[in-house]
Amino acid sequence: MDAYNGSGAGMTRQLKLGAFMRPISIHTASWRYPGGTPDGNFNWPLIKRLAQTLEAGKFDAFFMADHLAVLNMPIDGLKRSATVTSFDPLTLLPALAAVTEEIGLIATGSTTYNEPYHIARKFASLDHISGGRAGWNVVTSGNPTEAWNFGREEHWEHAVRYARAREFFDVVTGLWDSWADDAFIRDVENGVYFDPAKLHVLDHKGEFLKVRGPLNIARPIQGWPVIVQAGASDAGRQLAAETAEVIFGAASSLRDGRAFYADVKGRMDKLGRDRDGLKVLPGAFVVVGDSVEEARDKRAVLDSLVHYDSAIASLSSQLGADVSQFDPDGPLPENLPPTKGSQSGRDRLVEAATRNNFTIRQLAQRVGGFAGLAFVGTPATIADEMEEWLVNDACDGFNVMFPYLPGGLDDFVQKVVPELQRRGLFRREYEGKTLREKLGLKRPDNQFFRG
Ligand SMILES: Cc1cc2nc3c(=O)[nH]c(=O)nc-3n(C[C@H](O)[C@H](O)[C@H](O)COP(=O)(O)O)c2cc1C
């Protein structure tokens, strides 16, 4: 029985679904799970198959996160992590464009450790090659060790990274608008390839960047690839409200989800931007079972495969205090040393430990595995929870994270998607060719050649 309208008819808003693909799952032990794929990161036939399965499931987008460094953790933890290697997104996604027809292709590109001309050219190329399916996840690189790979001892300050990102966005979109959509007349008879009146030279000189232009590729099919972000801080949310069309959230409760949604959309109101111009997609870790117990058992097995060395390292860093000296099979001690990290983060973990009656080992394995928002249940209970977030203005859809691959993804596409479609919560057929059309986003006008 559908929790809210029981019929599916009349559901005007439908979920937008992204797939969070690294491509190994976000759960640190997924590569060890029975049926998981230890070499998934480099298993091109698997990655191709996964993208085609998501497309068959009518997903909006295949999203690839990225970091320009191996994660900085003690070697005993690092040697157990499957996230240390992955393809460069802007090499993998063009390859996926060639073996798919409809699914959006969102790649991460750092504004701190890239040049805007490169970013503009690569995403414009992906958009043309894919027939208008590109998206750019604009990040400022939260991982400080990336600085060491780009000739710097120190990482840029948070505020400076975001100020540079704002200028970087203006330069990249300005470069994409170098040519009017109809600039290339290719007049073979008179030997004129483009109309000079339809070319704009950006000649940008700003606080951080100096870029003349024009871009040496035609204006993207979508005008601009879809602009995606994942900021959480005040600066991150403000940049998203000013520039983004999709924001990935990290809320782990309905209440936090509603607060984040209201905050970001409220900022857009102040800017006079249409609220529908930005889709809020919280990350959701989804474990499917034929019963709730079966789904919970799957997750418990997955968490139990998180090796204690990496689990206790993750828990200590998230609690902001080293708890490795305490009895792993005992509860979290009442009097923990004061946190060096976020108090709210610690409170959420202590609350989770009490609520689930977790030992330190179980909490560490949960955190070491994946500690964010999780829907663990049957297709019906998962659809209930997703519907609850949608109808309570906590999201416009989700960035789905799969527990292990390919099985966790196949379960979602084969079992949850049909349930969402039956309720009218998700599309049965793709609408439109481009990612923008699928997300219900307008094609931006060219700022230099209006109308
Ligand atoms: C779903 C999601 C995906 C993200 N993907 C990336 C990524 O690929 N690369 C990256 O450097 N940061 C990534 N981030 C981190 C964000 O860009 C951002 O740094 C983080 O949310 C902290 O927010 P703040 O930068 O506003 O402080 C991601 C965050 C989320 C929630």
Side-chain angles (χ1 to χ4, degrees):
M1 170 62 194
D2 305 352
Y4 296 94
N5 62 18
S7 68
M11 280 301 289
T12 50
R13 282 178 67 213
Q14 291 193 318
L15 293 164
K16 302 297 178 187
L17 292 181
F20 187 108
M21 308 291 285
R22 290 189 97 179
I24 270 286
S25 152
I26 189 117
H27 192 291
T28 55
S30 64
W31 65 284
R32 303 181 69 198
Y33 189 80
T37 312
D39 71 341
N41 274 347
F42 285 106
N43 189 324
W44 165 240
L46 170 74
I47 299 170
K48 185 168 66 173
R49 201 290 262 150
L50 295 173
Q52 291 165 337
T53 303
L54 289 166
E55 184 164 275
K58 304 290 185 279
F59 265 67
D60 291 86
F62 179 110
F63 162 61
M64 188 146 176
D66 190 44
H67 296 277
L68 297 166
V70 165
L71 292 182
N72 185 29
M73 62 165 82
I75 195 65
D76 278 350
L78 192 63
K79 72 182 180 191
R80 300 181 186 288
S81 165
T83 63
V84 289
T85 65
S86 69
F87 286 118
D88 166 69
L90 286 166
T91 307
L92 178 67
L93 266 55
L96 287 177
V99 294
T100 55
E101 297 294 326
E102 297 277 359
I103 194 161
L105 301 164
I106 301 176
T108 293
S110 168
T111 59
T112 302
Y113 296 115
N114 274 303
E115 291 298 330
Y117 202 90
H118 285 313
I119 288 287
R121 195 155 176 259
K122 289 177 181 181
F123 280 94
S125 303
L126 175 61
D127 201 53
H128 283 287
I129 289 169
S130 66
R133 295 186 278 141
W136 170 31
N137 179 32
V138 182
V139 303
T140 69
S141 292
N143 174 353
T145 60
E146 294 184 23
W148 302 339
N149 295 329
F150 295 90
R152 295 180 58 89
E153 291 310 318
E154 291 301 315
H155 191 33
W156 298 70
E157 284 304 313
H158 187 275
V160 175
R161 283 190 277 130
Y162 272 96
R164 179 187 156 91
R166 186 67 183 81
E167 185 181 336
F168 196 109
F169 166 84
D170 289 343
V171 173
V172 168
T173 52
L175 287 172
W176 283 331
D177 286 349
S178 295
W179 306 93
D181 291 321
D182 56 358
F184 296 95
I185 56 176
R186 299 188 182 88
D187 177 351
V188 173
E189 199 174 329
N190 297 309
V192 179
Y193 195 80
F194 69 85
D195 175 353
K198 303 277 175 78
L199 165 63
H200 175 82
V201 177
L202 187 66
D203 204 12
H204 172 88
K205 296 185 180 66
E207 182 185 354
F208 300 98
L209 302 162
K210 192 163 171 276
V211 181
R212 180 182 176 283
L215 191 64
N216 56 352
I217 184 168
R219 190 167 190 242
I221 289 176
Q222 297 185 92
W224 299 352
V226 171
I227 304 295
V228 179
Q229 267 155 49
S233 61
D234 178 67
R237 295 172 190 211
Q238 191 55 30
L239 180 70
E242 292 171 11
T243 64
E245 296 163 307
V246 173
I247 185 168
F248 293 143
S252 53
S253 71
L254 181 64
R255 191 195 54 193
D256 293 354
R258 283 173 56 80
F260 182 81
Y261 191 96
D263 178 284
V264 173
K265 300 266 180 166
R267 290 169 192 257
M268 295 177 73
D269 294 344
K270 292 201 185 89
L271 294 162
R273 271 192 76 192
D274 172 1
R275 283 174 159 243
D276 288 338
L278 175 70
K279 310 299 176 185
V280 177
L281 302 188
F285 182 70
V286 180
V287 184
V288 185
D290 294 333
S291 67
V292 173
E293 293 63 41
E294 187 201 287
R296 290 194 178 139
D297 292 348
K298 279 184 181 179
R299 186 180 192 174
V301 170
L302 200 51
D303 287 349
S304 72
L305 293 169
V306 178
H307 192 280
Y308 194 67
D309 288 2
S310 40
I312 198 67
S314 308
L315 180 60
S316 297
S317 74
Q318 296 204 22
L319 279 173
D322 180 5
V323 290
S324 60
Q325 74 275 29
F326 298 114
D327 168 12
D329 298 312
L332 261 186
E334 301 279 323
N335 51 5
L336 281 171
T339 177
K340 295 195 194 72
S342 86
Q343 186 58 44
S344 59
R346 169 184 285 196
D347 297 347
R348 259 202 303 277
L349 288 173
V350 172
E351 193 270 329
T354 321
R355 180 163 32 88
N356 296 289
N357 196 19
F358 277 160
T359 62
I360 288 179
R361 183 188 306 282
Q362 289 166 322
L363 181 64
Q365 286 176 325
R366 171 57 55 86
V367 168
F370 177 74
L373 175 65
F375 298 145
V376 179
T378 64
T381 65
I382 291 164
D384 284 347
E385 293 187 270
M386 287 188 158
E387 188 165 5
E388 184 188 21
W389 278 62
L390 184 70
V391 298
N392 287 292
D393 285 343
C395 77
D396 297 305
F398 292 95
N399 199 17
V400 182
M401 300 162 168
F402 305 104
Y404 58 95
L405 295 161
L409 183 150
D410 292 343
D411 285 345
F412 189 97
V413 168
Q414 289 158 15
K415 299 175 181 171
V416 180
V417 166
E419 177 61 19
L420 295 172
Q421 289 169 330
R422 190 184 67 74
R423 296 181 187 209
L425 281 170
F426 188 54
R427 66 168 66 85
R428 288 183 185 280
E429 294 307 328
Y430 278 121
E431 55 291 63
K433 280 305 287 168
T434 68
L435 177 55
R436 278 180 182 285
E437 287 158 353
K438 291 178 178 82
L439 290 170
L441 297 168
K442 288 201 199 71
R443 184 178 190 274
D445 284 342
N446 186 317
Q447 60 200 289
F448 308 120
F449 300 100
R450 292 215 175 279

